[in-house]
Amino acid sequence: NQTLAAAAYRLGDDAEAAAAGDAARALRQQVPPATQDLVRTLSAAQLVDALVAARQGRSADARHLASAALARERARAARNQEDEYQRVDLARALVVAAAADVGDRPRELAEATSILARLPATLRHTRSVERLRADMATVRAQATGAPTRASTAR
């Protein structure tokens, strides 16, 4: 369900993204996150939910979801300093926090940029990291009011 929510968000289908996110959230409530993989999944789900909420104009919900996920990713980063993929997760949480206007957008984007710059080259050039870089560019452009690829494609 969470993969469906993420795909629907990327395709611009906010209604489907919200419905799939709701279904995933209902399942997560039945099984508390007992392992690090489940905690990671919970954070990823909250980040998609935050993006959907932001795009739907539900700013308070977006900030709440993004803040919770960012706090969780910062805690994971403190424990898993050798995990390169966790760094990508933290960078993603920072980008979503910036998009949801959680705190200091330029600082969050600068921190995410710094994290991605320190990744090994093999990870830095993966499709997911390239997509995250594109998302960062979109958030930066939205902050300045510049047209984005997503806004010009519609």
Side-chain angles (χ1 to χ4, degrees):
N1 285 334
Q2 197 55 49
T3 301
L4 178 60
Y9 173 80
R10 288 219 171 267
L11 292 173
D13 188 346
D14 292 344
E16 180 63 29
D22 290 345
R25 197 170 20 269
L27 288 173
R28 285 191 307 271
Q29 290 174 349
Q30 295 174 13
V31 180
T35 67
Q36 285 302 307
D37 283 341
L38 290 175
V39 170
R40 182 175 190 243
T41 300
L42 175 62
S43 287
Q46 280 188 312
L47 293 173
V48 172
D49 292 346
L51 289 170
V52 171
R55 197 154 64 187
Q56 291 179 335
R58 296 181 294 122
S59 301
D61 289 341
R63 281 191 299 275
H64 172 74
L65 291 163
S67 292
L70 179 57
R72 189 176 300 107
E73 290 305 327
R74 286 198 185 282
R76 286 184 59 226
R79 288 189 307 271
N80 302 319
Q81 295 181 6
E82 302 302 317
D83 184 350
E84 302 293 348
Y85 292 98
Q86 196 289 316
R87 291 183 185 146
V88 174
D89 292 343
L90 176 56
R92 184 171 292 111
L94 286 159
V95 171
V96 174
D101 208 18
V102 167
D104 183 346
R105 183 178 297 184
R107 185 181 54 80
E108 290 161 346
L109 292 172
E111 184 178 353
T113 299
S114 174
I115 290 168
L116 295 181
R118 293 189 314 262
L119 292 173
T122 54
L123 186 55
R124 208 173 29 233
H125 299 293
T126 61
R127 182 171 290 160
S128 62
V129 172
E130 291 298 326
R131 191 176 314 130
L132 182 55
R133 286 184 197 284
D135 292 345
M136 288 171 61
T138 299
V139 172
R140 278 191 182 98
Q142 288 170 343
T144 62
T148 64
R149 191 174 81 200
S151 67
T152 57
R154 290 185 182 190

